[in-house]
Amino acid sequence: MAVPGKVAAFHLPPLPTVGEIIKLFRLKAQKQLSQNFLLDLRLTDKIVRQAGELKNTHVCEVGPGPGGITRSILRAGVEQLLLIEKDARFIPGLQMLSEAAPGKVRIVHGDILTYKMEKAFPKHLKKNWEDEPPDIHIIGNLPFSVSTPLIIKWLENVSKKDGPFIYGRTQMTLTFQKEVAERLTANPGGKQRSRLSIMSQHLCTVENCFVIPGQAFVPKPEVDVAVVHFTPLVQPKIQQPFELVEKVVQSVFQFRRKYCFRGIETLFPESGRLKRTEQLMMTANVDPTLRPAQLSMSQFRNLCNTYRKMCDEDPSLFVYNYREELRQRKMRNSCKSTSQSEQTEEENHL
């Protein structure tokens, strides 16, 4: 858990307010990019405090937009601030902030989903995975459309210790829709327990810090927003490859309102499905009548470990895709019905 840090260790010279920057450069939030601006610097300071002590650290801010959180990060006394912004309209306003903090800010006009974070920070900041987290932080008010694919990508990076986690257990402080934040932090039995809960909690300590009401943003979104802090664990709770864990977890939650047995069945081809499903659940010691949201982390670990052994014995299991089997079956049925229809038409013609 991050210890909230202090803001205002560095004083920026007088600058236009964030609202004035928006007017000056005629910036409008684009709905298709799910952009929402946070103008209240008390709230941006509060977000930055959740990251912990930032003095003399290196920070990457994702999607700074008009620069509200950027100002709070700079005032926390960071050594270096890397800004990654996809929307070119915000670059001039960010350059104004960069000039106000000489030598501290680097701006990258690019997409965080494709940006190579392995070279984002100096090599001397690297720490061993078992050590305390490095003096590197990722902070961002994420657009809703990007937040889920981005956190899944970063969780995979945590699992493989690459991307921004090549430097060690880099901490992240990010915003999500309140409902997504609840999924990330949900406990077994909770109504928001989901694939995101397992994928995040088996790799990180995840803390739902506080909620920001929707009316604090411009334009006001239809939902509230939550700030979530992530610290990668030294040892993941499920010590299997990311792809295998994701496949098992996705399968279990595929039919979230049915017994978990129904979802686990989809890990296996139709031929021998029932027998293999029973074998997996019996070996993993999981009650087949539990709902997916009721399964504990240790039960998911048992399922993943047992499935891994079954895949080692039969490598074709891991490449099996239930949805692809359904698609091919539909195509066969469609071709069959078309053929029968053509035959009926021919008989009628005769």
Side-chain angles (χ1 to χ4, degrees):
M1 175 176 170
V3 179
K6 295 180 181 178
V7 174
F10 174 82
H11 294 285
L12 288 165
L15 285 165
T17 65
V18 179
E20 288 167 347
I21 291 280
I22 290 171
K23 287 179 183 175
L24 179 65
F25 295 103
R26 296 179 181 178
L27 301 172
K28 285 187 177 179
Q30 294 192 355
K31 194 170 183 180
Q32 64 268 33
L33 297 178
S34 58
Q35 292 174 337
N36 303 94
F37 304 148
L38 192 55
L39 308 186
D40 187 338
L41 292 184
R42 290 169 301 178
L43 282 173
T44 61
D45 283 352
K46 191 175 180 182
I47 291 171
V48 169
R49 281 198 296 271
Q50 305 311 309
E53 179 57 63
L54 293 184
K55 191 171 183 182
N56 299 325
T57 64
H58 289 243
V59 174
C60 170
E61 185 188 356
V62 182
I69 295 176
T70 312
R71 295 176 187 227
S72 295
I73 294 171
L74 286 170
R75 284 167 39 192
V78 298
E79 180 74 21
Q80 283 285 321
L81 175 56
L82 169 64
L83 303 176
I84 302 176
E85 178 54 64
K86 183 179 181 180
D87 193 334
R89 298 174 306 142
F90 296 120
I91 301 299
L94 296 173
Q95 285 172 337
M96 188 181 289
L97 276 175
S98 176
E99 290 162 10
K104 282 188 175 288
V105 180
R106 181 159 60 99
I107 302 169
V108 172
H109 177 213
D111 187 344
I112 188 62
L113 287 168
T114 55
Y115 182 72
K116 302 293 183 188
M117 294 285 282
E118 291 87 345
K119 298 178 180 177
F121 305 103
K123 289 181 180 177
H124 74 266
L125 295 173
K126 281 188 180 182
K127 285 197 174 184
N128 293 325
W129 195 260
E130 298 75 21
D131 296 341
E132 287 297 304
D135 290 332
I136 295 171
H137 296 261
I138 297 171
I139 299 174
N141 175 27
L142 304 179
F144 297 157
S145 60
V146 170
S147 60
T148 301
L150 183 57
I151 196 58
I152 288 293
K153 171 184 161 67
W154 276 341
L155 289 170
E156 183 172 3
N157 290 147
V158 170
S159 176
K160 297 177 179 178
K161 300 176 185 175
D162 60 12
F165 307 97
I166 201 168
Y167 300 92
R169 295 186 296 122
T170 301
Q171 297 179 81
M172 303 181 286
T173 307
L174 307 167
T175 62
F176 297 88
Q177 289 183 50
K178 183 184 172 187
E179 186 179 324
V180 175
E182 288 170 350
R183 287 180 198 159
L184 286 163
T185 55
N187 293 319
K191 66 177 183 178
Q192 296 287 15
R193 186 76 162 175
S194 67
R195 172 181 75 117
L196 273 180
S197 317
I198 309 303
M199 298 309 296
S200 58
Q201 293 172 36
H202 104 267
L203 290 164
C204 298
T205 299
V206 190
E207 179 193 358
N208 193 338
C209 303
F210 67 97
V211 173
I212 305 173
Q215 60 261 32
F217 293 85
V218 178
K220 176 184 175 245
E222 294 177 2
V223 294
D224 292 337
V225 172
V227 178
V228 182
H229 185 82
F230 300 81
T231 304
L233 296 166
V234 173
Q235 287 287 351
K237 292 179 181 174
I238 304 173
Q239 296 189 38
Q240 294 295 349
F242 184 86
E243 294 83 0
L244 185 142
V245 178
E246 188 173 40
K247 184 178 182 184
V248 171
V249 173
Q250 274 184 332
S251 297
V252 171
F253 281 100
Q254 192 156 205
F255 304 101
R256 60 175 298 116
R257 294 184 180 174
K258 297 181 183 286
Y259 293 144
C260 63
F261 184 95
R262 181 67 188 89
I264 290 169
E265 279 186 319
T266 64
L267 287 168
F268 304 107
E270 194 172 12
S271 173
R273 176 172 290 158
L274 183 61
K275 184 181 177 183
R276 281 173 154 170
T277 304
E278 288 175 345
Q279 178 191 344
L280 171 56
M281 303 211 71
M282 194 176 295
T283 308
N285 194 27
V286 173
D287 182 348
T289 63
L290 289 174
R291 310 282 179 189
Q294 293 176 300
L295 297 185
S296 67
M297 188 64 74
S298 62
Q299 287 172 315
F300 273 104
R301 179 171 58 243
N302 292 347
L303 286 170
C304 290
N305 290 343
T306 306
Y307 180 65
R308 171 65 185 270
K309 288 176 184 174
M310 295 173 80
C311 289
D312 288 344
E313 292 167 6
D314 181 0
S316 68
L317 272 187
F318 187 69
V319 296
Y320 166 71
N321 186 312
Y322 174 73
R323 291 180 184 273
E324 181 63 23
E325 184 182 75
L326 280 184
R327 192 181 68 82
Q328 289 182 2
R329 190 187 302 164
K330 283 180 182 177
M331 284 178 64
R332 284 197 300 270
N333 290 341
S334 175
C335 291
K336 189 176 180 181
S337 61
T338 303
S339 173
Q340 287 174 343
S341 174
E342 288 173 352
Q343 186 177 351
T344 304
E345 282 181 21
E346 191 176 337
E347 287 171 352
N348 290 339
H349 179 68
L350 288 171

